[in-house]
Amino acid sequence: MVTIQDVAKAAGVSPMTVSHVINDHPYVRETTRDKVQQAIDELGYRVNIAARNLRTGRTSTIGLAIPEIDRPYYAQLAARIVAAAGRRGLRVAIEQTGATKENELSTLATSRNRLYDGLILATVGLGFADRELLNVDFPVVILGERIFDGPVDHISMPNVSGSAAAVEHLIERGARRILMLQGNELSELGMPPLRLDGYRAAHERAGLPVDEALLIPVPAFTMQAAREAVVAAVANGLTFDGVFCITDSMGVGVLRGLASCGLRVPEDVKVIGFDNIDEAEFTVPSLSSIAPDHDEMAETAVSLLVQRIEQAKRPAPREVEAGFRLIERESSAGRVER
Amino acid sequence: MVTIQDVAKAAGVSPMTVSHVINDHPYVRETTRDKVQQAIDELGYRVNIAARNLRTGRTSTIGLAIPEIDRPYYAQLAARIVAAAGRRGLRVAIEQTGATKENELSTLATSRNRLYDGLILATVGLGFADRELLNVDFPVVILGERIFDGPVDHISMPNVSGSAAAVEHLIERGARRILMLQGNELSELGMPPLRLDGYRAAHERAGLPVDEALLIPVPAFTMQAAREAVVAAVANGLTFDGVFCITDSMGVGVLRGLASCGLRVPEDVKVIGFDNIDEAEFTVPSLSSIAPDHDEMAETAVSLLVQRIEQAKRPAPREVEAGFRLIERESSAGRVER
DNA sequence: ATGAAAGCGCTAACAC
DNA sequence: GTGTTAGCGCTTTCAT
């Protein structure tokens, strides 16, 4: 393995000068720089990042912990975070937590091994009881939900307002019995209850009663779980003319399930999702959705984290709620036929 | 920051003993181990991975370079690789190459900075001309295509045989004019030409001529590009009763485009994709697909890489082609109505 | 079963 | 502009 010493020897300079060259420091004479660069090329020298990390205490890498990389929502979010970090010269290491609290905490723990300069944690498992565990002297930004007060920055989704807008939209379109698939209940203060709050708020504003039978818990936020739930609901004789899905992936599953049941969307049932994943535009019918400003979320998350990394004295915890737009597509078009 | 020295001092032992404890070495007396563990817990000690990396020359991290994390195919592959690596105690750092040759090569270059112990490279941009660049003294496994001979291991997709099976399936179902969306042409020896070979082989075996007008190049492997291409084909008056999509993402776009054109699938047009991404089961109609054995691919890729990492003398380059199954779903059901 | 010495490759801080 | 010194935190080697 070629070291900085070897290059220095070959170029007839000191290791320090080589270091200056590879780090693009000024105050290196043009001729010296060329000489060193030539030695680097000839020997095929590459910096040893581990050594640099040890010496500087920085890794230029941030961790991104997400439940599962193969869920479209998180994949698309990860792509944006990688891009935002790249603009600042930071690498991103993606970790899967499997949506379990233990793994989320262990990611937090190993991050503090100085593997990363900071961590963006898209959490679904942590709750109020874990807030103390986030009280770490390490830059962390929580992404996704405003689930508890704590000593870290939060970027949260417009859970309540977005859900209310989605349900209001269905009501405007004539839906009166709106099914809600509630997702799992990992956290007592997680995302599903907040979106349910939005659902209730929209009903209240419209003067509509909420039929609790229409609130269906589902074991996961997946296409599969949603399809099964909606098919079962129809089989059980539940009647409804609208469905609010708390994630678009669930929306895709619902559209599929309704098609299997012979129900027409949007004529018989209007459907709307949440997240505006890329796929929503390509379903048949295309899926209306609440579109949080993902670019803003990614940019803000990285920006807050970088501030925390660079500032010696930790700023007070900050909270940002992303904006959103309602995207109308075919699945909620027209008015309910009665 | 708490170091191994601090722990040693607190426990009244030498740093070496602490090291033995944290690395689970045998030959540490039970009582000593407890004493050290207690000091670790009390001080909140965490190993400094950078220091360990520098000393051992190992990072316990492998790199995974994929074109884009937010494409379902790669996201789902990445999830499997992360799982396979995790089973061996390896972390995975995912890098996006953006499907450009430059980024693929630069990933290769920075990997050799000893950031990773090895690299799994899902390449779409590298071609025959770049084979020399892969001649590196660093463990690399190429994933995806068998595009060139070279000094590295390859895990390849059943491009030709899988495509032939897909097209044969459409022919069996009565399709005679089968559209093929060819994807982009980044590499002269990339995946699209191989899948085209399969398309031609199936036609030949069936004694069917190939109408070159049915071979449509598309700028990207995306839902969007495929939808636009198929809508344009219909608008241009092209007639066809089958579509072979070289990726399922393109299949999703094609289904969407055909729906917009008022063409019925599978009655008017039969469609089949390639990859068997999770979404294929949830489209309306559900999408038939060629399902390469992704679990095997991921497992093999990691296994070959680990062998290369652990063996001092590099084994000869190996090649493995994944098996596949044809998954029949609604999009190719029944026979073409004539 | 435990420890002393040495050094992995790099760069911060400072001298010149 | 360039070089010297020192040390980041850990583990390999070898002694005891």
PDB file of all heavy atoms in Angstrom, chain A residues 285-317:
ATOM      1  N   PRO A 285     -56.838   3.381 -11.811  1.00  0.00           N
ATOM      2  CA  PRO A 285     -56.662   4.791 -12.171  1.00  0.00           C
ATOM      3  C   PRO A 285     -55.517   5.425 -11.375  1.00  0.00           C
ATOM      4  O   PRO A 285     -55.122   4.889 -10.341  1.00  0.00           O
ATOM      5  CB  PRO A 285     -57.999   5.408 -11.762  1.00  0.00           C
ATOM      6  CG  PRO A 285     -58.439   4.576 -10.595  1.00  0.00           C
ATOM      7  CD  PRO A 285     -57.994   3.176 -10.924  1.00  0.00           C
ATOM      8  N   SER A 286     -55.031   6.558 -11.864  1.00  0.00           N
ATOM      9  CA  SER A 286     -53.946   7.229 -11.140  1.00  0.00           C
ATOM     10  C   SER A 286     -54.454   7.695  -9.782  1.00  0.00           C
ATOM     11  O   SER A 286     -55.637   7.970  -9.607  1.00  0.00           O
ATOM     12  CB  SER A 286     -53.407   8.393 -11.962  1.00  0.00           C
ATOM     13  OG  SER A 286     -54.441   9.294 -12.306  1.00  0.00           O
ATOM     14  N   LEU A 287     -53.538   7.767  -8.826  1.00  0.00           N
ATOM     15  CA  LEU A 287     -53.905   7.936  -7.420  1.00  0.00           C
ATOM     16  C   LEU A 287     -53.733   9.382  -6.950  1.00  0.00           C
ATOM     17  O   LEU A 287     -52.618   9.914  -6.949  1.00  0.00           O
ATOM     18  CB  LEU A 287     -53.024   7.010  -6.567  1.00  0.00           C
ATOM     19  CG  LEU A 287     -53.211   7.035  -5.054  1.00  0.00           C
ATOM     20  CD1 LEU A 287     -54.609   6.571  -4.671  1.00  0.00           C
ATOM     21  CD2 LEU A 287     -52.147   6.158  -4.375  1.00  0.00           C
ATOM     22  N   SER A 288     -54.823   9.991  -6.529  1.00  0.00           N
ATOM     23  CA  SER A 288     -54.729  11.313  -5.898  1.00  0.00           C
ATOM     24  C   SER A 288     -53.930  11.178  -4.608  1.00  0.00           C
ATOM     25  O   SER A 288     -53.924  10.122  -3.986  1.00  0.00           O
ATOM     26  CB  SER A 288     -56.125  11.847  -5.583  1.00  0.00           C
ATOM     27  OG  SER A 288     -56.871  12.007  -6.768  1.00  0.00           O
ATOM     28  N   SER A 289     -53.268  12.250  -4.231  1.00  0.00           N
ATOM     29  CA  SER A 289     -52.392  12.114  -3.066  1.00  0.00           C
ATOM     30  C   SER A 289     -52.079  13.455  -2.430  1.00  0.00           C
ATOM     31  O   SER A 289     -52.199  14.505  -3.075  1.00  0.00           O
ATOM     32  CB  SER A 289     -51.092  11.419  -3.487  1.00  0.00           C
ATOM     33  OG  SER A 289     -50.311  11.105  -2.356  1.00  0.00           O
ATOM     34  N   ILE A 290     -51.698  13.387  -1.179  1.00  0.00           N
ATOM     35  CA  ILE A 290     -51.135  14.545  -0.495  1.00  0.00           C
ATOM     36  C   ILE A 290     -49.633  14.500  -0.718  1.00  0.00           C
ATOM     37  O   ILE A 290     -48.984  13.498  -0.416  1.00  0.00           O
ATOM     38  CB  ILE A 290     -51.437  14.496   1.017  1.00  0.00           C
ATOM     39  CG1 ILE A 290     -52.949  14.538   1.272  1.00  0.00           C
ATOM     40  CG2 ILE A 290     -50.732  15.648   1.738  1.00  0.00           C
ATOM     41  CD1 ILE A 290     -53.632  15.800   0.806  1.00  0.00           C
ATOM     42  N   ALA A 291     -49.092  15.571  -1.258  1.00  0.00           N
ATOM     43  CA  ALA A 291     -47.672  15.616  -1.612  1.00  0.00           C
ATOM     44  C   ALA A 291     -46.925  16.531  -0.670  1.00  0.00           C
ATOM     45  O   ALA A 291     -46.905  17.742  -0.865  1.00  0.00           O
ATOM     46  CB  ALA A 291     -47.512  16.096  -3.053  1.00  0.00           C
ATOM     47  N   PRO A 292     -46.306  15.978   0.365  1.00  0.00           N
ATOM     48  CA  PRO A 292     -45.455  16.818   1.208  1.00  0.00           C
ATOM     49  C   PRO A 292     -44.272  17.303   0.365  1.00  0.00           C
ATOM     50  O   PRO A 292     -43.919  16.660  -0.620  1.00  0.00           O
ATOM     51  CB  PRO A 292     -44.973  15.868   2.301  1.00  0.00           C
ATOM     52  CG  PRO A 292     -45.839  14.656   2.199  1.00  0.00           C
ATOM     53  CD  PRO A 292     -46.284  14.577   0.783  1.00  0.00           C
ATOM     54  N   ASP A 293     -43.724  18.394   0.752  1.00  0.00           N
ATOM     55  CA  ASP A 293     -42.600  18.928  -0.018  1.00  0.00           C
ATOM     56  C   ASP A 293     -41.325  18.155   0.339  1.00  0.00           C
ATOM     57  O   ASP A 293     -40.578  18.526   1.231  1.00  0.00           O
ATOM     58  CB  ASP A 293     -42.434  20.417   0.294  1.00  0.00           C
ATOM     59  CG  ASP A 293     -41.473  21.080  -0.676  1.00  0.00           C
ATOM     60  OD1 ASP A 293     -40.591  20.370  -1.211  1.00  0.00           O
ATOM     61  OD2 ASP A 293     -41.598  22.288  -0.905  1.00  0.00           O
ATOM     62  N   HIS A 294     -41.107  17.057  -0.376  1.00  0.00           N
ATOM     63  CA  HIS A 294     -39.989  16.182  -0.041  1.00  0.00           C
ATOM     64  C   HIS A 294     -38.638  16.830  -0.256  1.00  0.00           C
ATOM     65  O   HIS A 294     -37.697  16.597   0.494  1.00  0.00           O
ATOM     66  CB  HIS A 294     -40.067  14.901  -0.871  1.00  0.00           C
ATOM     67  CG  HIS A 294     -41.180  14.004  -0.467  1.00  0.00           C
ATOM     68  ND1 HIS A 294     -42.198  13.634  -1.318  1.00  0.00           N
ATOM     69  CD2 HIS A 294     -41.464  13.422   0.711  1.00  0.00           C
ATOM     70  CE1 HIS A 294     -43.033  12.848  -0.681  1.00  0.00           C
ATOM     71  NE2 HIS A 294     -42.629  12.706   0.549  1.00  0.00           N
ATOM     72  N   ASP A 295     -38.554  17.628  -1.309  1.00  0.00           N
ATOM     73  CA  ASP A 295     -37.268  18.285  -1.562  1.00  0.00           C
ATOM     74  C   ASP A 295     -36.916  19.202  -0.395  1.00  0.00           C
ATOM     75  O   ASP A 295     -35.783  19.212   0.078  1.00  0.00           O
ATOM     76  CB  ASP A 295     -37.336  19.082  -2.869  1.00  0.00           C
ATOM     77  CG  ASP A 295     -37.304  18.160  -4.075  1.00  0.00           C
ATOM     78  OD1 ASP A 295     -36.528  17.177  -4.031  1.00  0.00           O
ATOM     79  OD2 ASP A 295     -38.044  18.403  -5.034  1.00  0.00           O
ATOM     80  N   GLU A 296     -37.912  19.925   0.067  1.00  0.00           N
ATOM     81  CA  GLU A 296     -37.676  20.825   1.194  1.00  0.00           C
ATOM     82  C   GLU A 296     -37.283  20.015   2.432  1.00  0.00           C
ATOM     83  O   GLU A 296     -36.367  20.381   3.165  1.00  0.00           O
ATOM     84  CB  GLU A 296     -38.953  21.625   1.471  1.00  0.00           C
ATOM     85  CG  GLU A 296     -38.859  22.545   2.679  1.00  0.00           C
ATOM     86  CD  GLU A 296     -40.250  22.863   3.267  1.00  0.00           C
ATOM     87  OE1 GLU A 296     -41.266  22.632   2.574  1.00  0.00           O
ATOM     88  OE2 GLU A 296     -40.294  23.305   4.433  1.00  0.00           O
ATOM     89  N   MET A 297     -37.976  18.909   2.648  1.00  0.00           N
ATOM     90  CA  MET A 297     -37.681  18.089   3.826  1.00  0.00           C
ATOM     91  C   MET A 297     -36.241  17.594   3.803  1.00  0.00           C
ATOM     92  O   MET A 297     -35.525  17.661   4.805  1.00  0.00           O
ATOM     93  CB  MET A 297     -38.616  16.880   3.881  1.00  0.00           C
ATOM     94  CG  MET A 297     -40.040  17.216   4.270  1.00  0.00           C
ATOM     95  SD  MET A 297     -41.102  15.743   4.242  1.00  0.00           S
ATOM     96  CE  MET A 297     -40.437  14.803   5.622  1.00  0.00           C
ATOM     97  N   ALA A 298     -35.834  17.085   2.657  1.00  0.00           N
ATOM     98  CA  ALA A 298     -34.475  16.544   2.547  1.00  0.00           C
ATOM     99  C   ALA A 298     -33.449  17.654   2.726  1.00  0.00           C
ATOM    100  O   ALA A 298     -32.476  17.513   3.470  1.00  0.00           O
ATOM    101  CB  ALA A 298     -34.294  15.863   1.187  1.00  0.00           C
ATOM    102  N   GLU A 299     -33.692  18.742   2.057  1.00  0.00           N
ATOM    103  CA  GLU A 299     -32.755  19.856   2.118  1.00  0.00           C
ATOM    104  C   GLU A 299     -32.656  20.386   3.552  1.00  0.00           C
ATOM    105  O   GLU A 299     -31.563  20.621   4.065  1.00  0.00           O
ATOM    106  CB  GLU A 299     -33.251  20.949   1.155  1.00  0.00           C
ATOM    107  CG  GLU A 299     -32.347  22.151   1.040  1.00  0.00           C
ATOM    108  CD  GLU A 299     -30.976  21.805   0.483  1.00  0.00           C
ATOM    109  OE1 GLU A 299     -30.883  20.847  -0.322  1.00  0.00           O
ATOM    110  OE2 GLU A 299     -29.993  22.464   0.867  1.00  0.00           O
ATOM    111  N   THR A 300     -33.790  20.538   4.187  1.00  0.00           N
ATOM    112  CA  THR A 300     -33.798  21.058   5.552  1.00  0.00           C
ATOM    113  C   THR A 300     -33.140  20.083   6.519  1.00  0.00           C
ATOM    114  O   THR A 300     -32.368  20.487   7.395  1.00  0.00           O
ATOM    115  CB  THR A 300     -35.240  21.336   6.018  1.00  0.00           C
ATOM    116  OG1 THR A 300     -35.882  22.177   5.061  1.00  0.00           O
ATOM    117  CG2 THR A 300     -35.244  22.018   7.367  1.00  0.00           C
ATOM    118  N   ALA A 301     -33.431  18.816   6.357  1.00  0.00           N
ATOM    119  CA  ALA A 301     -32.849  17.821   7.259  1.00  0.00           C
ATOM    120  C   ALA A 301     -31.326  17.873   7.192  1.00  0.00           C
ATOM    121  O   ALA A 301     -30.641  17.915   8.222  1.00  0.00           O
ATOM    122  CB  ALA A 301     -33.347  16.425   6.892  1.00  0.00           C
ATOM    123  N   VAL A 302     -30.798  17.888   5.983  1.00  0.00           N
ATOM    124  CA  VAL A 302     -29.344  17.911   5.832  1.00  0.00           C
ATOM    125  C   VAL A 302     -28.785  19.229   6.347  1.00  0.00           C
ATOM    126  O   VAL A 302     -27.757  19.259   7.031  1.00  0.00           O
ATOM    127  CB  VAL A 302     -28.947  17.677   4.358  1.00  0.00           C
ATOM    128  CG1 VAL A 302     -27.456  17.854   4.180  1.00  0.00           C
ATOM    129  CG2 VAL A 302     -29.378  16.289   3.913  1.00  0.00           C
ATOM    130  N   SER A 303     -29.487  20.286   6.043  1.00  0.00           N
ATOM    131  CA  SER A 303     -29.006  21.595   6.454  1.00  0.00           C
ATOM    132  C   SER A 303     -28.958  21.721   7.984  1.00  0.00           C
ATOM    133  O   SER A 303     -27.964  22.187   8.548  1.00  0.00           O
ATOM    134  CB  SER A 303     -29.916  22.664   5.842  1.00  0.00           C
ATOM    135  OG  SER A 303     -29.833  23.851   6.563  1.00  0.00           O
ATOM    136  N   LEU A 304     -29.991  21.277   8.654  1.00  0.00           N
ATOM    137  CA  LEU A 304     -29.995  21.337  10.123  1.00  0.00           C
ATOM    138  C   LEU A 304     -28.885  20.460  10.699  1.00  0.00           C
ATOM    139  O   LEU A 304     -28.205  20.833  11.655  1.00  0.00           O
ATOM    140  CB  LEU A 304     -31.349  20.874  10.683  1.00  0.00           C
ATOM    141  CG  LEU A 304     -32.542  21.807  10.463  1.00  0.00           C
ATOM    142  CD1 LEU A 304     -33.780  21.237  11.142  1.00  0.00           C
ATOM    143  CD2 LEU A 304     -32.249  23.198  10.995  1.00  0.00           C
ATOM    144  N   LEU A 305     -28.710  19.308  10.085  1.00  0.00           N
ATOM    145  CA  LEU A 305     -27.689  18.394  10.589  1.00  0.00           C
ATOM    146  C   LEU A 305     -26.296  18.997  10.425  1.00  0.00           C
ATOM    147  O   LEU A 305     -25.471  18.941  11.350  1.00  0.00           O
ATOM    148  CB  LEU A 305     -27.777  17.054   9.856  1.00  0.00           C
ATOM    149  CG  LEU A 305     -26.938  15.938  10.457  1.00  0.00           C
ATOM    150  CD1 LEU A 305     -27.401  15.598  11.859  1.00  0.00           C
ATOM    151  CD2 LEU A 305     -26.961  14.691   9.581  1.00  0.00           C
ATOM    152  N   VAL A 306     -26.061  19.585   9.277  1.00  0.00           N
ATOM    153  CA  VAL A 306     -24.753  20.186   9.027  1.00  0.00           C
ATOM    154  C   VAL A 306     -24.487  21.313  10.022  1.00  0.00           C
ATOM    155  O   VAL A 306     -23.377  21.443  10.547  1.00  0.00           O
ATOM    156  CB  VAL A 306     -24.667  20.699   7.567  1.00  0.00           C
ATOM    157  CG1 VAL A 306     -23.468  21.609   7.387  1.00  0.00           C
ATOM    158  CG2 VAL A 306     -24.596  19.519   6.605  1.00  0.00           C
ATOM    159  N   GLN A 307     -25.509  22.088  10.300  1.00  0.00           N
ATOM    160  CA  GLN A 307     -25.333  23.143  11.302  1.00  0.00           C
ATOM    161  C   GLN A 307     -24.913  22.550  12.640  1.00  0.00           C
ATOM    162  O   GLN A 307     -24.016  23.040  13.310  1.00  0.00           O
ATOM    163  CB  GLN A 307     -26.630  23.926  11.482  1.00  0.00           C
ATOM    164  CG  GLN A 307     -26.959  24.850  10.327  1.00  0.00           C
ATOM    165  CD  GLN A 307     -28.347  25.442  10.473  1.00  0.00           C
ATOM    166  OE1 GLN A 307     -28.823  25.672  11.580  1.00  0.00           O
ATOM    167  NE2 GLN A 307     -29.001  25.678   9.352  1.00  0.00           N
ATOM    168  N   ARG A 308     -25.583  21.474  13.011  1.00  0.00           N
ATOM    169  CA  ARG A 308     -25.268  20.838  14.276  1.00  0.00           C
ATOM    170  C   ARG A 308     -23.850  20.261  14.285  1.00  0.00           C
ATOM    171  O   ARG A 308     -23.172  20.246  15.312  1.00  0.00           O
ATOM    172  CB  ARG A 308     -26.257  19.708  14.547  1.00  0.00           C
ATOM    173  CG  ARG A 308     -27.124  19.974  15.728  1.00  0.00           C
ATOM    174  CD  ARG A 308     -28.249  19.041  15.905  1.00  0.00           C
ATOM    175  NE  ARG A 308     -29.395  19.828  16.333  1.00  0.00           N
ATOM    176  CZ  ARG A 308     -29.513  20.345  17.553  1.00  0.00           C
ATOM    177  NH1 ARG A 308     -28.607  20.129  18.472  1.00  0.00           N
ATOM    178  NH2 ARG A 308     -30.551  21.081  17.854  1.00  0.00           N
ATOM    179  N   ILE A 309     -23.440  19.761  13.139  1.00  0.00           N
ATOM    180  CA  ILE A 309     -22.102  19.183  13.055  1.00  0.00           C
ATOM    181  C   ILE A 309     -21.047  20.276  13.181  1.00  0.00           C
ATOM    182  O   ILE A 309     -20.029  20.101  13.850  1.00  0.00           O
ATOM    183  CB  ILE A 309     -21.926  18.428  11.710  1.00  0.00           C
ATOM    184  CG1 ILE A 309     -22.803  17.171  11.701  1.00  0.00           C
ATOM    185  CG2 ILE A 309     -20.469  18.076  11.465  1.00  0.00           C
ATOM    186  CD1 ILE A 309     -22.895  16.488  10.348  1.00  0.00           C
ATOM    187  N   GLU A 310     -21.325  21.410  12.543  1.00  0.00           N
ATOM    188  CA  GLU A 310     -20.282  22.433  12.452  1.00  0.00           C
ATOM    189  C   GLU A 310     -20.224  23.348  13.667  1.00  0.00           C
ATOM    190  O   GLU A 310     -19.185  23.931  13.935  1.00  0.00           O
ATOM    191  CB  GLU A 310     -20.469  23.236  11.165  1.00  0.00           C
ATOM    192  CG  GLU A 310     -20.108  22.383   9.947  1.00  0.00           C
ATOM    193  CD  GLU A 310     -20.334  23.098   8.633  1.00  0.00           C
ATOM    194  OE1 GLU A 310     -20.905  24.203   8.648  1.00  0.00           O
ATOM    195  OE2 GLU A 310     -19.929  22.539   7.597  1.00  0.00           O
ATOM    196  N   GLN A 311     -21.348  23.473  14.356  1.00  0.00           N
ATOM    197  CA  GLN A 311     -21.347  24.374  15.501  1.00  0.00           C
ATOM    198  C   GLN A 311     -20.919  23.655  16.766  1.00  0.00           C
ATOM    199  O   GLN A 311     -21.462  22.608  17.102  1.00  0.00           O
ATOM    200  CB  GLN A 311     -22.729  25.004  15.686  1.00  0.00           C
ATOM    201  CG  GLN A 311     -23.042  25.990  14.583  1.00  0.00           C
ATOM    202  CD  GLN A 311     -24.446  26.517  14.682  1.00  0.00           C
ATOM    203  OE1 GLN A 311     -25.034  26.516  15.751  1.00  0.00           O
ATOM    204  NE2 GLN A 311     -24.974  26.954  13.555  1.00  0.00           N
ATOM    205  N   ALA A 312     -19.971  24.232  17.423  1.00  0.00           N
ATOM    206  CA  ALA A 312     -19.462  23.630  18.646  1.00  0.00           C
ATOM    207  C   ALA A 312     -20.556  23.592  19.706  1.00  0.00           C
ATOM    208  O   ALA A 312     -20.837  22.554  20.291  1.00  0.00           O
ATOM    209  CB  ALA A 312     -18.257  24.419  19.149  1.00  0.00           C
ATOM    210  N   LYS A 313     -21.194  24.718  19.901  1.00  0.00           N
ATOM    211  CA  LYS A 313     -22.270  24.746  20.906  1.00  0.00           C
ATOM    212  C   LYS A 313     -23.571  24.364  20.211  1.00  0.00           C
ATOM    213  O   LYS A 313     -23.958  24.935  19.198  1.00  0.00           O
ATOM    214  CB  LYS A 313     -22.382  26.114  21.579  1.00  0.00           C
ATOM    215  CG  LYS A 313     -22.270  27.318  20.638  1.00  0.00           C
ATOM    216  CD  LYS A 313     -22.085  28.597  21.439  1.00  0.00           C
ATOM    217  CE  LYS A 313     -20.652  28.692  21.998  1.00  0.00           C
ATOM    218  NZ  LYS A 313     -20.362  29.930  22.685  1.00  0.00           N
ATOM    219  N   ARG A 314     -24.197  23.362  20.786  1.00  0.00           N
ATOM    220  CA  ARG A 314     -25.414  22.841  20.163  1.00  0.00           C
ATOM    221  C   ARG A 314     -26.530  23.863  20.178  1.00  0.00           C
ATOM    222  O   ARG A 314     -26.857  24.382  21.246  1.00  0.00           O
ATOM    223  CB  ARG A 314     -25.859  21.583  20.910  1.00  0.00           C
ATOM    224  CG  ARG A 314     -25.013  20.383  20.639  1.00  0.00           C
ATOM    225  CD  ARG A 314     -25.397  19.258  21.567  1.00  0.00           C
ATOM    226  NE  ARG A 314     -25.015  19.570  22.951  1.00  0.00           N
ATOM    227  CZ  ARG A 314     -25.486  18.931  24.001  1.00  0.00           C
ATOM    228  NH1 ARG A 314     -26.358  17.965  23.844  1.00  0.00           N
ATOM    229  NH2 ARG A 314     -25.093  19.243  25.214  1.00  0.00           N
ATOM    230  N   PRO A 315     -27.120  24.121  19.024  1.00  0.00           N
ATOM    231  CA  PRO A 315     -28.277  25.015  19.013  1.00  0.00           C
ATOM    232  C   PRO A 315     -29.463  24.341  19.699  1.00  0.00           C
ATOM    233  O   PRO A 315     -29.489  23.118  19.853  1.00  0.00           O
ATOM    234  CB  PRO A 315     -28.561  25.224  17.524  1.00  0.00           C
ATOM    235  CG  PRO A 315     -27.800  24.169  16.791  1.00  0.00           C
ATOM    236  CD  PRO A 315     -26.739  23.655  17.713  1.00  0.00           C
ATOM    237  N   ALA A 316     -30.425  25.125  20.114  1.00  0.00           N
ATOM    238  CA  ALA A 316     -31.636  24.565  20.725  1.00  0.00           C
ATOM    239  C   ALA A 316     -32.359  23.703  19.693  1.00  0.00           C
ATOM    240  O   ALA A 316     -32.252  23.937  18.497  1.00  0.00           O
ATOM    241  CB  ALA A 316     -32.539  25.692  21.198  1.00  0.00           C
ATOM    242  N   PRO A 317     -33.086  22.684  20.144  1.00  0.00           N
ATOM    243  CA  PRO A 317     -33.819  21.816  19.218  1.00  0.00           C
ATOM    244  C   PRO A 317     -34.765  22.641  18.349  1.00  0.00           C
ATOM    245  O   PRO A 317     -35.433  23.549  18.833  1.00  0.00           O
ATOM    246  CB  PRO A 317     -34.620  20.900  20.150  1.00  0.00           C
ATOM    247  CG  PRO A 317     -33.922  20.956  21.444  1.00  0.00           C
ATOM    248  CD  PRO A 317     -33.257  22.284  21.531  1.00  0.00           C
TER     249      PRO A 317
END
